[in-house]
Each structure stands twice: as C-alpha cells, then as structure tokens.
Amino acid sequence: MPHTFALFIFVSFLLLSSSFARFVVEKNSFKVASPDSLKGVHECAIGNFGVPQYGGTLVGSVFYPKSNQKACNNFQHVDVSFKTKPGGIPIFLLADRGDCYFTLKAWNAQNGGAAAILVADDRVEPLITMDTPEEEDARADYLQNITIPSALISKDLGDKIKKELSKGEMVSINLDWREALPHPDERVEYELWTNSNDECGPKCDSQLSFIRSFKGAAQILEQGGYTQFAPHYITWYCPEAFILSKQCKSQCINHGRYCAPDPEQDFSTGYDGKDVVVQNLRQACFFKVANESGKPWQWWDYVTDFSIRCPMKEKKYTKECADKVIQSLGVDIKKIDECIGDTEADVDNPILKAEQESQIGKGSRGDVTILPTLVVNNRQYRGKLDKGAVLKAICSGFEETTEPAVCLTKDMETNECLDNNGGCWQDKAANITACRDTFRGRVCECPIVQGVKFIGDGYTHCEASGALRCEINNGGCWKGTKGGRTYSACIDDHTKGCKCPPGFRGDGVNSCEDIDECKEKLACQCPECKCKNTWGSYECSCRSNALYIHEHDTCISKDASTEYSWSFVWVVFLGLVVAGVAGYALYKYRIRRYMDSEIRAIMAQYMPLDNQGEVPNHTTQGHV
C-alpha cells in the first residue's frame, strides 16, 4: 500500500507539471533534387537520438527495402548492402513506422550501412519527435551507440517517395541542418537541464559521462568568452492535498514547493527525493557564486568532482562531502550556504523558484519536462548527448567564420579535403592548400602560412601577400638558378605581384625568359664594341687595346685616355689661374676708381679744381 500511494504521488507530480506543457518539435529541412515530381524543400522532425549533423548537410539516395520495411530486424541477410563504396552516394534508408521502437530501426539501419534513416509516418498527423524508449524498455548497449542522423517524414511524402522508387526512379535528397539552430552572432548561449542524482540508471550514467568528457571544451569556450552557459534543474511541487504526507515530506523541501522523485523509487531505503533537491540547489548556488566571481566555468569542475567523490552508492551524497569539494576549488562555502537558505522554512527559495519559472517554454523553445535537456540559442537540441555531437551543435550556433578554434579541431573535421583537395586551390610543391575541414563541411579559403597571408578566391588562385611572402615558396613567383646565379621574380618590398628581374621577360609566375641584349641590339652598340650575351645579363668589351665606358656605351684607347686626362687637368688648371688674375685686376681697378672719385669730391668743397665739372656734387646744401 505505501508503495502504491508513493507511485500515485509521483505520477501526480508529473501530471500537474506537464498537463499544460508546451512541447516544440524541432525540425530541419531537406531538399529533394530528383525526380522532378518531388523536387522541392520538405520538412522533417529531428529524432531525439543519434547524431544530427548540426551546421552541415548530407547528400544521399533513398533506398526502400523489399522486406523488413519497418526495419525492426537486422539487415544482415538482405541482398542489397547500404554500405557506400568509395566514390558512391550515401544511402538513406526509408523505413515505415510501427512494430518496434524508433531507436531500434535506427540501430538496424546503421548496422546495415545506411548513412541516415527516414521514418515514414503511418498516420496523417503533425510531425512528432521520435524519442528514446521509456526507462524500463531502454537498452543502453545500443542506445548510446547510435551515430547516424534520423528524421520523421509525413505519411504523404513517404508514399510519394515509395511510388517514385517503385517506378525505378532515383530519389536524391539533401538533408540540411544549417538552419536547425539559429546562429545570429559571435556568442552562443546554451543551457543544460541536469540532475545531481546518480542512481537513475543508464540515463544518469550517460549524463555524468557527458559532463566529464565535455568539461574541457565547455571551459575553453566559456573562458574565451565564446559562450554563455547556465545549468538548470527541474523540480516539481507537491499537490496541496498531500503536503503533510510522508511521501511529500521525503521528496520535497520548503513545505512541498520543490520536489524530486525518490532516487531508487523505494521510500524505505537509500536517499530521499529531498536529498536530490538540496544537492541540485547546492549546484545551482555554486554556479551563482562562481559566476559572480567571474569564474562560471568552475561549475563543470564542481559537478565532475562531486560525482566522483560523493556518489550515492558509497553513501557519500552528503553536505559534508560536497563542502570538501567546494573548499578544494577555493569557493566561499558561506556564500553558498546563504544562497541555499533554510530548506525547512515555509518560504520560497529564490533560486528554485526561478528554476521552475524557467521550465516554462518561451519563444521557439518548448517546456522542459525531461532530463537531460540541452538548449542552444533558445532551441532544444535533439540527438545523442555526446561530446562531439553537442560540440558540433554549439559550434553551429556561431555566425559563420566567427567559430572559435575548438570548433575547428580534428575531432570536428568532415575530411572532405581528402578527396581531390575538396576542389580548392593547392600548391603541391609547397604543400599548401586552401581547403580546410570544418564541422560545417570544407571551405576553400586562402591560408596563412608562417605569418604570411595568401589572398585570392581560394578555388583557383591564392597568392602570398606581405613583407615575408618571398620566404614561402618564393611568393608563388618564378625563380631560377644557372651557372651559379639565382634570379627571382618575387620582390620583397612589394606586398604582392611577380615581376621578372632586369634581363628577363615573362609573366613572372610561370616563366621568365632570358633577353638576348646583343641580338636585340639593346647594348654594346658602338662601332668598336663586342657584345656577349649571358643568362640574365650581358658582357661588353672593345676590340684591340681599348677601354669600354659603360655609361657612354663607347670605347676609348687606354693611352689616349691617359693623355686626354692629363691635358684636361692642365687646361682646367690654367683656366682657373687666368680667371683668378683677371678677377683680381678688375677688383683693384674698381676700388681705385671709387677712391679717386671720393677724394675729388672732398677737395672740391674747399678749392676750385680744373675739372670740377666732372666731379659729382655730393653736398646736400640748397642754393641761397
């Protein structure tokens, strides 16, 4: 009787909390490329298992088996294999709904080699989300190993695809997850609805495993300012009529306001639901205190360490054990205790009250009713709770080209560059490529090599740019060595472009041909000159005993040159002497004339002179 009543209370929690729940089916689009009768964009509902290719696309051909059409059995004995051969088109298995769990259909399709599974609905209804089985029916040995994406399509579309396949038509589909999650800016906001309970079976084990494996990536994203993360915890309230019951008292705190199911579903042993609520509250308060100190990423350390050091199985799921973990991380325990408050008081707890309000869906996000639930940019994540899958979903929430480095690691690569270099530009000699694998697929983008940026369209052309460009494969320019001489068409003080050096002619990229200055009469043109072409230059000489003057392109005798030089020196010297003597004579003559004129003027003022009329009058007196 007590167990029956307890189960009734538990069901009441669920009914009261979810009777008005708003569930949002997350969808993505797929485009039918052929045949023409189906060509266009259609909707499908993303399955709540497997690994959706968030941020990317997947092209494939649909296959509908003649037998095992509901995919409830394995495909080991079918005539046609779904496994794609090298260079072949991926196969999307089309299966009918019914007779077995969606997850089993996906598992059989994956083992058969299918790249994805499309489940055609068996009734006319709005699209629903394919979910994992209930806990008692779950098989952890395969549920966590489903890696192919899955989607539910409408009955009408499924019937049309089958009709075209029966006529021998090839149905080509492009599954597109690029808009499955919004990606408005350079920061992603995401939240994880979780639980401190570690005794809820495979789901709890999977959840803890995810938190431990994802911790490193989450902290890198948070510390770099790329994401804003927040943990959340689901609680229910006890129906007013049962607040004073033993069951509510064991599962709730604050007089029935915040409740959680019994961890073992057995009220007579182990920990109670209220123990889970208190630990959830402690984790929420830890995040609040850590966030206020500017280190919100410490939440991942606390939750991971607590799950390892304080498990329920070892009877360490206590405040004392939690405080030791908190103390080891250097966080103020008093602040956390103040945040938790009095769990026996008949008052609201601000943290848990806010959590209950957050459970209600807003905008494009539905109500949160199951654990764990991941929400990225206010859109619920569908798929396997796996480090790689979740990281891909979060990375798809960034605006393109703003993704942090952690999104471009080898774990996230699609390896499209391995096939024909992804159709991008490549310099095989220098081992440089513009192809770069990302979680969204390959991009053709001119690279940066050793600090040198390459510019171009990334598909047919990339060219080194900058001061150090000649250090990288000679800047993509021509370079040649012959007879101990090396010439290059790359100029260090030019940020781009290639130009053949003097003595060469060509485009500077593919070739530079030597110019024959002698044959083209570009040098050594004086009558006595002899011209000899060399690679990249030329040599001029003179016949007999003559000297070649490069500046004047002329030949002169070495003796004549010497005589000419001395004669020229003497002429210059004599010229300077004559000029000096003449200048001195002129100077003396002008000084003498000036002095004579001044003396005569002075004497004329005191005595008459015979040639007075010739003397200028320097007086300033007027006539009376």
Side-chain angles (χ1 to χ4, degrees):
M1 179 68 180
H3 289 289
T4 304
F5 183 72
L7 181 63
F8 170 74
I9 295 293
F10 176 65
V11 172
S12 298
F13 291 161
L14 297 181
L15 290 176
L16 287 170
S17 62
S18 60
S19 58
F20 298 103
R22 185 174 64 91
F23 187 84
V24 175
V25 177
E26 302 298 342
K27 302 175 183 177
N28 70 301
S29 64
F30 72 92
K31 179 187 288 186
V32 178
S34 66
D36 291 340
S37 60
L38 294 177
K39 187 177 291 186
V41 178
H42 305 268
E43 273 192 342
C44 60
I46 303 174
N48 213 18
F49 49 85
V51 183
Q53 302 298 315
Y54 281 106
T57 60
L58 183 63
V59 178
S61 176
V62 179
F63 176 78
Y64 183 61
K66 293 181 180 178
S67 60
N68 194 21
Q69 294 177 338
K70 294 185 178 180
C72 291
N73 301 310
N74 63 56
F75 289 91
Q76 293 178 355
H77 304 293
V78 296
D79 296 332
V80 179
S81 174
F82 308 146
K83 293 182 179 179
T84 306
K85 297 179 181 179
I89 299 176
I91 299 297
F92 296 165
L93 176 67
L94 177 63
D96 293 329
R97 181 180 177 182
D99 290 357
C100 61
Y101 294 117
F102 293 121
T103 52
L104 182 58
K105 297 175 189 289
W107 179 241
N108 289 331
Q110 178 176 310
N111 288 334
I117 181 171
L118 302 176
V119 179
D121 205 343
D122 59 354
R123 65 204 73 173
V124 178
E125 64 176 357
L127 291 175
I128 64 171
T129 296
M130 298 184 296
D131 208 346
T132 55
E134 294 299 324
E135 203 64 53
E136 60 270 17
D137 299 315
R139 284 180 52 199
D141 59 335
Y142 80 82
L143 281 179
Q144 297 305 315
N145 294 321
I146 300 175
T147 58
I148 63 171
S150 59
L152 181 74
I153 62 175
S154 67
K155 182 178 185 302
D156 179 62
L157 180 58
D159 291 341
K160 290 179 180 178
I161 293 176
K162 294 173 193 175
K163 182 178 179 181
E164 294 298 327
L165 290 173
S166 67
K167 295 190 297 185
E169 293 285 350
M170 179 178 178
V171 179
S172 298
I173 288 179
N174 182 4
L175 287 170
D176 191 344
W177 291 270
R178 288 176 297 181
E179 299 302 325
L181 290 176
H183 41 92
D185 51 34
E186 300 178 7
R187 190 182 74 172
V188 170
E189 298 174 2
Y190 72 106
E191 55 193 55
L192 176 64
W193 290 81
T194 181
N195 200 331
S196 62
N197 179 11
D198 59 9
E199 282 291 305
C200 61
K203 279 195 174 182
C204 277
D205 296 338
S206 173
Q207 178 179 250
L208 290 175
S209 176
F210 164 72
I211 289 176
R212 293 172 188 175
S213 65
F214 193 69
K215 181 184 76 168
Q219 291 180 326
I220 289 173
L221 290 168
E222 200 73 11
Q223 290 175 14
Y226 300 110
T227 59
Q228 182 176 329
F229 167 75
H232 290 290
Y233 300 86
I234 291 179
T235 59
W236 295 274
Y237 62 88
C238 181
E240 189 173 353
F242 302 103
I243 288 178
L244 299 178
S245 68
K246 179 181 177 182
Q247 288 74 20
C248 271
K249 287 183 178 181
S250 69
Q251 296 183 89
C252 309
I253 65 172
N254 294 98
H255 284 245
R257 286 177 172 83
Y258 315 108
C259 312
D262 189 278
E264 303 88 1
Q265 298 300 303
D266 187 344
F267 295 101
S268 61
T269 62
Y271 290 96
D272 295 326
K274 68 178 182 179
D275 296 319
V276 175
V277 178
V278 172
Q279 289 297 346
N280 287 349
L281 177 57
R282 182 170 284 107
Q283 289 188 3
C285 286
F286 182 95
F287 177 78
K288 178 178 182 293
V289 174
N291 190 41
E292 289 173 351
S293 66
K295 297 179 180 180
W297 53 83
Q298 284 188 315
W299 178 89
W300 294 89
D301 290 318
Y302 173 68
V303 173
T304 300
D305 293 354
F306 180 81
S307 67
I308 296 172
R309 297 172 60 178
C310 311
M312 286 183 174
K313 292 177 181 179
E314 298 180 14
K315 308 300 180 183
K316 295 180 180 179
Y317 191 80
T318 63
K319 179 183 186 316
E320 291 73 24
C321 187
D323 286 347
K324 290 178 181 178
V325 177
I326 295 170
Q327 189 174 14
S328 69
L329 295 173
V331 179
D332 193 338
I333 296 177
K334 291 182 179 180
K335 289 185 178 180
I336 294 177
D337 288 340
E338 290 174 2
C339 172
I340 294 173
D342 184 0
T343 58
E344 299 299 326
D346 187 9
V347 295
D348 289 332
N349 181 285
I351 300 295
L352 292 180
K353 183 178 181 181
E355 292 294 281
Q356 285 186 341
E357 292 174 352
S358 297
Q359 288 176 223
I360 302 173
K362 297 176 182 178
S364 58
R365 196 209 78 187
D367 295 350
V368 180
T369 57
I370 60 175
L371 291 175
T373 292
L374 181 71
V375 178
V376 181
N377 283 350
N378 206 37
R379 192 76 60 82
Q380 186 168 337
Y381 165 83
R382 301 293 183 193
K384 180 182 179 182
L385 200 63
D386 169 81
K387 175 186 175 182
V390 170
L391 185 57
K392 182 173 288 189
I394 290 175
C395 289
S396 71
F398 291 101
E399 185 179 7
E400 291 192 39
T401 73
T402 68
E403 306 93 347
V406 70
C407 292
L408 307 175
T409 59
K410 289 187 177 181
D411 293 339
M412 302 290 288
E413 291 176 356
T414 56
N415 294 324
E416 293 181 36
C417 293
L418 298 179
D419 185 13
N420 194 33
N421 197 49
C424 305
W425 171 87
Q426 183 180 26
D427 186 339
K428 292 183 178 180
N431 194 27
I432 300 174
T433 175
C435 190
R436 180 166 56 90
D437 275 311
T438 73
F439 66 96
R440 285 192 171 99
R442 73 96 175 95
V443 293
C444 295
E445 187 177 86
C446 292
I448 297 177
V449 182
Q450 298 177 19
V452 178
K453 181 175 177 58
F454 284 72
I455 57 175
D457 60 13
Y459 294 92
T460 60
H461 175 69
C462 284
E463 180 181 353
S465 175
L468 301 176
R469 67 192 186 96
C470 295
E471 300 295 325
I472 307 296
N473 193 31
N474 200 49
C477 302
W478 171 88
K479 184 179 182 180
T481 301
K482 187 176 181 181
R485 293 183 178 182
T486 299
Y487 290 96
S488 170
C490 186
I491 306 173
D492 283 318
D493 58 356
H494 286 56
T495 57
K496 63 179 181 178
C498 303
K499 182 180 180 181
C500 288
F504 292 89
R505 180 185 296 122
D507 61 10
V509 177
N510 300 312
S511 67
C512 285
E513 299 294 334
D514 173 54
I515 298 173
D516 190 339
E517 291 87 354
C518 300
K519 186 177 181 180
E520 298 186 15
K521 300 185 182 303
L522 299 175
C524 308
Q525 295 302 300
C526 64
E528 300 86 4
C529 292
K530 291 191 301 183
C531 185
K532 178 184 176 182
N533 186 61
T534 62
W535 190 67
S537 186
Y538 60 91
E539 295 177 358
C540 285
S541 60
C542 298
R543 296 180 178 87
S544 67
N545 189 25
L547 180 66
Y548 179 71
I549 306 299
H550 186 275
E551 291 79 4
H552 301 284
D553 190 28
T554 186
C555 289
I556 61 172
S557 171
K558 293 182 179 180
D559 297 336
S561 174
T562 304
E563 294 174 1
Y564 172 80
S565 299
W566 280 108
S567 299
F568 180 75
V569 171
W570 279 111
V571 169
V572 172
F573 177 74
L574 291 174
L576 290 174
V577 171
V578 171
V581 172
Y584 179 76
L586 179 62
Y587 169 75
K588 295 292 288 183
Y589 174 76
R590 291 194 63 184
I591 289 296
R592 186 180 183 86
R593 287 291 305 272
Y594 179 75
M595 290 180 65
D596 288 348
S597 174
E598 289 294 322
I599 293 171
R600 284 178 177 274
I602 294 170
M603 293 179 66
Q605 294 181 22
Y606 301 98
M607 64 184 67
L609 298 176
D610 294 339
N611 56 348
Q612 188 174 353
E614 300 176 4
V615 180
N617 188 359
H618 292 278
T619 63
T620 57
Q621 297 178 359
H623 296 284
V624 180

Short mmCIF file of all heavy atoms in Angstrom, two decimals, residues 460-501:
data_model
loop_
_atom_site.label_atom_id
_atom_site.label_comp_id
_atom_site.label_asym_id
_atom_site.label_seq_id
_atom_site.Cartn_x
_atom_site.Cartn_y
_atom_site.Cartn_z
N THR A 460 40.62 28.84 -57.35
CA THR A 460 41.54 28.73 -58.49
C THR A 460 42.83 29.50 -58.26
O THR A 460 43.80 29.30 -58.99
CB THR A 460 40.87 29.26 -59.77
OG1 THR A 460 40.50 30.65 -59.57
CG2 THR A 460 39.61 28.45 -60.09
N HIS A 461 42.84 30.38 -57.27
CA HIS A 461 44.01 31.23 -57.12
C HIS A 461 44.19 31.67 -55.67
O HIS A 461 43.25 32.07 -55.00
CB HIS A 461 43.85 32.48 -58.01
CG HIS A 461 44.95 33.48 -57.84
ND1 HIS A 461 46.25 33.23 -58.25
CD2 HIS A 461 44.96 34.72 -57.29
CE1 HIS A 461 47.00 34.28 -57.97
NE2 HIS A 461 46.24 35.20 -57.39
N CYS A 462 45.42 31.55 -55.19
CA CYS A 462 45.84 32.10 -53.91
C CYS A 462 47.25 32.62 -54.09
O CYS A 462 48.10 31.93 -54.65
CB CYS A 462 45.81 31.05 -52.80
SG CYS A 462 44.17 30.63 -52.17
N GLU A 463 47.50 33.82 -53.60
CA GLU A 463 48.81 34.44 -53.80
C GLU A 463 49.31 34.99 -52.47
O GLU A 463 48.56 35.63 -51.72
CB GLU A 463 48.70 35.57 -54.82
CG GLU A 463 49.99 36.30 -55.11
CD GLU A 463 49.81 37.43 -56.10
OE1 GLU A 463 48.70 37.55 -56.67
OE2 GLU A 463 50.76 38.20 -56.30
N ALA A 464 50.58 34.71 -52.17
CA ALA A 464 51.18 35.20 -50.93
C ALA A 464 51.22 36.72 -50.93
O ALA A 464 51.49 37.35 -51.95
CB ALA A 464 52.58 34.64 -50.77
N SER A 465 50.96 37.32 -49.78
CA SER A 465 50.92 38.77 -49.67
C SER A 465 51.62 39.20 -48.39
O SER A 465 51.50 38.54 -47.36
CB SER A 465 49.47 39.27 -49.67
OG SER A 465 49.41 40.66 -49.44
N GLY A 466 52.38 40.31 -48.47
CA GLY A 466 53.04 40.81 -47.28
C GLY A 466 54.55 40.83 -47.42
O GLY A 466 55.13 40.35 -48.40
N ALA A 467 55.20 41.37 -46.39
CA ALA A 467 56.64 41.60 -46.45
C ALA A 467 57.45 40.31 -46.51
O ALA A 467 58.52 40.26 -47.10
CB ALA A 467 57.08 42.43 -45.26
N LEU A 468 56.95 39.25 -45.90
CA LEU A 468 57.71 37.99 -45.83
C LEU A 468 57.26 36.98 -46.88
O LEU A 468 57.60 35.80 -46.79
CB LEU A 468 57.56 37.38 -44.43
CG LEU A 468 58.04 38.24 -43.26
CD1 LEU A 468 57.74 37.54 -41.95
CD2 LEU A 468 59.54 38.52 -43.39
N ARG A 469 56.51 37.43 -47.85
CA ARG A 469 55.90 36.49 -48.79
C ARG A 469 56.93 35.71 -49.60
O ARG A 469 56.70 34.57 -49.97
CB ARG A 469 54.96 37.23 -49.75
CG ARG A 469 55.65 38.18 -50.70
CD ARG A 469 54.67 39.10 -51.41
NE ARG A 469 55.34 39.90 -52.43
CZ ARG A 469 55.38 39.57 -53.71
NH1 ARG A 469 54.79 38.47 -54.12
NH2 ARG A 469 56.00 40.33 -54.58
N CYS A 470 58.10 36.32 -49.88
CA CYS A 470 59.10 35.63 -50.70
C CYS A 470 59.72 34.44 -49.96
O CYS A 470 60.38 33.60 -50.59
CB CYS A 470 60.20 36.61 -51.14
SG CYS A 470 59.60 37.93 -52.23
N GLU A 471 59.50 34.36 -48.64
CA GLU A 471 60.03 33.24 -47.87
C GLU A 471 59.19 31.99 -48.05
O GLU A 471 59.66 30.89 -47.77
CB GLU A 471 60.09 33.61 -46.38
CG GLU A 471 60.96 34.81 -46.06
CD GLU A 471 62.42 34.55 -46.37
OE1 GLU A 471 62.86 33.40 -46.19
OE2 GLU A 471 63.11 35.50 -46.81
N ILE A 472 57.95 32.13 -48.49
CA ILE A 472 57.05 31.00 -48.67
C ILE A 472 56.94 30.68 -50.15
O ILE A 472 56.29 31.39 -50.92
CB ILE A 472 55.64 31.29 -48.11
CG1 ILE A 472 55.74 31.75 -46.66
CG2 ILE A 472 54.75 30.06 -48.24
CD1 ILE A 472 56.30 30.71 -45.72
N ASN A 473 57.65 29.65 -50.56
CA ASN A 473 57.60 29.20 -51.96
C ASN A 473 57.87 30.34 -52.92
O ASN A 473 57.26 30.44 -53.98
CB ASN A 473 56.24 28.55 -52.26
CG ASN A 473 56.24 27.79 -53.57
OD1 ASN A 473 57.26 27.24 -53.98
ND2 ASN A 473 55.10 27.76 -54.25
N ASN A 474 58.76 31.25 -52.51
CA ASN A 474 59.15 32.39 -53.34
C ASN A 474 57.94 33.24 -53.75
O ASN A 474 57.91 33.82 -54.83
CB ASN A 474 59.90 31.93 -54.60
CG ASN A 474 60.73 33.05 -55.22
OD1 ASN A 474 61.48 33.73 -54.53
ND2 ASN A 474 60.57 33.26 -56.52
N GLY A 475 56.95 33.30 -52.86
CA GLY A 475 55.78 34.13 -53.13
C GLY A 475 54.95 33.66 -54.30
O GLY A 475 54.12 34.41 -54.83
N GLY A 476 55.15 32.40 -54.72
CA GLY A 476 54.43 31.89 -55.88
C GLY A 476 54.97 32.41 -57.19
O GLY A 476 54.34 32.23 -58.24
N CYS A 477 56.13 33.05 -57.15
CA CYS A 477 56.73 33.64 -58.36
C CYS A 477 57.80 32.71 -58.94
O CYS A 477 58.27 31.77 -58.30
CB CYS A 477 57.34 35.00 -58.03
SG CYS A 477 56.19 36.20 -57.34
N TRP A 478 58.22 33.06 -60.15
CA TRP A 478 59.28 32.29 -60.83
C TRP A 478 60.61 32.51 -60.13
O TRP A 478 60.90 33.58 -59.59
CB TRP A 478 59.38 32.76 -62.28
CG TRP A 478 60.56 32.20 -63.02
CD1 TRP A 478 60.63 31.03 -63.70
CD2 TRP A 478 61.85 32.81 -63.13
NE1 TRP A 478 61.87 30.85 -64.23
CE2 TRP A 478 62.66 31.93 -63.91
CE3 TRP A 478 62.41 33.99 -62.66
CZ2 TRP A 478 63.99 32.21 -64.21
CZ3 TRP A 478 63.73 34.28 -62.96
CH2 TRP A 478 64.51 33.40 -63.72
N LYS A 479 61.43 31.44 -60.14
CA LYS A 479 62.76 31.52 -59.58
C LYS A 479 63.66 30.54 -60.33
O LYS A 479 63.24 29.40 -60.60
CB LYS A 479 62.75 31.18 -58.09
CG LYS A 479 64.09 31.34 -57.39
CD LYS A 479 63.96 31.01 -55.90
CE LYS A 479 65.27 31.20 -55.17
NZ LYS A 479 65.14 30.88 -53.72
N GLY A 480 64.86 30.99 -60.71
CA GLY A 480 65.74 30.11 -61.47
C GLY A 480 67.19 30.29 -61.09
O GLY A 480 67.61 31.37 -60.66
N THR A 481 67.94 29.20 -61.22
CA THR A 481 69.37 29.22 -60.93
C THR A 481 70.12 28.58 -62.10
O THR A 481 69.73 27.52 -62.60
CB THR A 481 69.67 28.44 -59.64
OG1 THR A 481 68.96 29.02 -58.55
CG2 THR A 481 71.16 28.47 -59.33
N LYS A 482 71.21 29.26 -62.52
CA LYS A 482 72.00 28.76 -63.64
C LYS A 482 73.40 29.36 -63.56
O LYS A 482 73.54 30.56 -63.34
CB LYS A 482 71.33 29.13 -64.96
CG LYS A 482 71.98 28.51 -66.19
CD LYS A 482 71.16 28.87 -67.43
CE LYS A 482 71.75 28.25 -68.68
NZ LYS A 482 70.97 28.62 -69.90
N GLY A 483 74.40 28.49 -63.73
CA GLY A 483 75.77 28.98 -63.71
C GLY A 483 76.15 29.67 -62.42
O GLY A 483 76.95 30.62 -62.43
N GLY A 484 75.57 29.22 -61.31
CA GLY A 484 75.90 29.83 -60.02
C GLY A 484 75.14 31.10 -59.73
O GLY A 484 75.32 31.71 -58.66
N ARG A 485 74.29 31.54 -60.65
CA ARG A 485 73.50 32.76 -60.45
C ARG A 485 72.03 32.39 -60.20
O ARG A 485 71.51 31.48 -60.84
CB ARG A 485 73.61 33.68 -61.66
CG ARG A 485 74.98 34.27 -61.88
CD ARG A 485 74.95 35.22 -63.06
NE ARG A 485 76.24 35.86 -63.29
CZ ARG A 485 76.46 36.76 -64.25
NH1 ARG A 485 75.47 37.11 -65.06
NH2 ARG A 485 77.65 37.30 -64.40
N THR A 486 71.40 33.10 -59.29
CA THR A 486 69.98 32.88 -58.98
C THR A 486 69.21 34.17 -59.17
O THR A 486 69.62 35.23 -58.67
CB THR A 486 69.79 32.38 -57.54
OG1 THR A 486 70.48 31.14 -57.37
CG2 THR A 486 68.31 32.16 -57.22
N TYR A 487 68.11 34.09 -59.90
CA TYR A 487 67.25 35.25 -60.12
C TYR A 487 65.83 34.90 -59.66
O TYR A 487 65.40 33.75 -59.75
CB TYR A 487 67.22 35.64 -61.60
CG TYR A 487 68.53 36.22 -62.11
CD1 TYR A 487 69.46 35.41 -62.76
CD2 TYR A 487 68.81 37.57 -61.95
CE1 TYR A 487 70.65 35.93 -63.24
CE2 TYR A 487 69.99 38.12 -62.42
CZ TYR A 487 70.92 37.29 -63.06
OH TYR A 487 72.09 37.82 -63.52
N SER A 488 65.11 35.90 -59.16
CA SER A 488 63.75 35.70 -58.66
C SER A 488 62.84 36.81 -59.16
O SER A 488 63.26 37.96 -59.28
CB SER A 488 63.74 35.67 -57.13
OG SER A 488 62.42 35.71 -56.64
N ALA A 489 61.58 36.43 -59.43
CA ALA A 489 60.57 37.41 -59.84
C ALA A 489 59.79 37.94 -58.65
O ALA A 489 58.86 38.73 -58.82
CB ALA A 489 59.62 36.80 -60.86
N CYS A 490 60.16 37.49 -57.44
CA CYS A 490 59.49 37.97 -56.22
C CYS A 490 60.30 39.12 -55.63
O CYS A 490 61.51 38.99 -55.44
CB CYS A 490 59.35 36.85 -55.21
SG CYS A 490 58.38 37.30 -53.74
N ILE A 491 59.62 40.21 -55.33
CA ILE A 491 60.29 41.39 -54.80
C ILE A 491 59.85 41.58 -53.35
O ILE A 491 58.65 41.72 -53.07
CB ILE A 491 59.96 42.64 -55.63
CG1 ILE A 491 60.28 42.38 -57.11
CG2 ILE A 491 60.72 43.86 -55.12
CD1 ILE A 491 59.82 43.48 -58.05
N ASP A 492 60.80 41.57 -52.44
CA ASP A 492 60.49 41.61 -51.00
C ASP A 492 59.72 42.86 -50.59
O ASP A 492 58.85 42.80 -49.73
CB ASP A 492 61.77 41.52 -50.18
CG ASP A 492 62.30 40.09 -50.14
OD1 ASP A 492 61.49 39.18 -49.98
OD2 ASP A 492 63.52 39.90 -50.27
N ASP A 493 60.06 44.01 -51.16
CA ASP A 493 59.40 45.24 -50.73
C ASP A 493 58.08 45.49 -51.44
O ASP A 493 57.50 46.56 -51.33
CB ASP A 493 60.34 46.44 -50.91
CG ASP A 493 60.80 46.61 -52.35
OD1 ASP A 493 60.45 45.75 -53.19
OD2 ASP A 493 61.51 47.58 -52.63
N HIS A 494 57.60 44.50 -52.19
CA HIS A 494 56.27 44.57 -52.81
C HIS A 494 55.36 43.58 -52.11
O HIS A 494 55.73 42.41 -51.91
CB HIS A 494 56.35 44.23 -54.31
CG HIS A 494 56.96 45.32 -55.14
ND1 HIS A 494 58.21 45.84 -54.88
CD2 HIS A 494 56.48 46.00 -56.23
CE1 HIS A 494 58.51 46.78 -55.78
NE2 HIS A 494 57.47 46.90 -56.59
N THR A 495 54.17 44.01 -51.71
CA THR A 495 53.28 43.14 -50.95
C THR A 495 52.61 42.08 -51.82
O THR A 495 52.08 41.11 -51.29
CB THR A 495 52.18 43.97 -50.25
OG1 THR A 495 51.46 44.72 -51.23
CG2 THR A 495 52.81 44.91 -49.24
N LYS A 496 52.63 42.26 -53.12
CA LYS A 496 52.01 41.27 -53.99
C LYS A 496 52.58 41.41 -55.39
O LYS A 496 53.30 42.35 -55.71
CB LYS A 496 50.49 41.43 -54.01
CG LYS A 496 50.00 42.76 -54.57
CD LYS A 496 48.48 42.81 -54.56
CE LYS A 496 47.98 44.14 -55.13
NZ LYS A 496 46.51 44.19 -55.17
N GLY A 497 52.25 40.47 -56.24
CA GLY A 497 52.66 40.52 -57.63
C GLY A 497 54.03 39.89 -57.87
O GLY A 497 54.83 39.72 -56.96
N CYS A 498 54.27 39.54 -59.12
CA CYS A 498 55.54 38.97 -59.55
C CYS A 498 56.03 39.75 -60.77
O CYS A 498 55.24 40.06 -61.66
CB CYS A 498 55.38 37.49 -59.91
SG CYS A 498 54.73 36.45 -58.58
N LYS A 499 57.31 40.04 -60.81
CA LYS A 499 57.88 40.79 -61.92
C LYS A 499 59.24 40.22 -62.27
O LYS A 499 60.11 40.09 -61.40
CB LYS A 499 58.02 42.28 -61.55
CG LYS A 499 58.56 43.15 -62.67
CD LYS A 499 58.65 44.59 -62.22
CE LYS A 499 59.19 45.48 -63.34
NZ LYS A 499 59.31 46.89 -62.90
N CYS A 500 59.40 39.87 -63.54
CA CYS A 500 60.68 39.31 -63.96
C CYS A 500 61.79 40.32 -63.70
O CYS A 500 61.62 41.53 -63.95
CB CYS A 500 60.65 38.96 -65.44
SG CYS A 500 59.63 37.51 -65.83
N PRO A 501 62.94 39.88 -63.23
CA PRO A 501 64.05 40.80 -62.94
C PRO A 501 64.64 41.37 -64.22
O PRO A 501 64.39 40.84 -65.32
CB PRO A 501 65.05 39.91 -62.19
CG PRO A 501 64.76 38.53 -62.68
CD PRO A 501 63.28 38.47 -62.91
#
